[in-house]
Amino acid sequence: MLVRPHPHPGPLRGAARRLARLHIGRDERGDVPGWVLIVVMSAGLVAGLTAVAGPQLRAMLESALSSVGG
């Protein structure tokens, strides 16, 4: 018994095939600028928060450590 595929496989199956075709042979190095941007923005946020709330955060940390240390 020969089973034939449905003539209209549906939008999801067709989309999956198109995505697979796009991914075949794709160079992953093309995404490096995106990761660099994420890292630089994260570093900027940490630097900004440290500049604005550094003394308060340091006081909270010292208070928490002193209460635990006895």
Side-chain angles (χ1 to χ4, degrees):
M1 176 182 209
L2 179 63
V3 178
R4 294 184 180 178
H6 193 275
H8 302 288
L12 293 179
R13 195 175 285 172
R17 282 190 193 133
R18 284 190 296 274
L19 284 174
R21 270 188 259 136
L22 288 174
H23 189 67
I24 293 173
R26 181 176 170 210
D27 190 8
E28 293 295 327
R29 291 178 295 171
D31 200 29
V32 170
W35 284 107
V36 170
L37 181 63
I38 290 171
V39 169
V40 169
M41 289 177 67
S42 299
L45 284 172
V46 169
L49 286 174
T50 302
V52 172
Q56 292 89 356
L57 291 171
R58 184 180 306 266
M60 287 173 50
L61 179 63
E62 289 173 355
S63 173
L65 289 175
S66 66
S67 68
V68 171

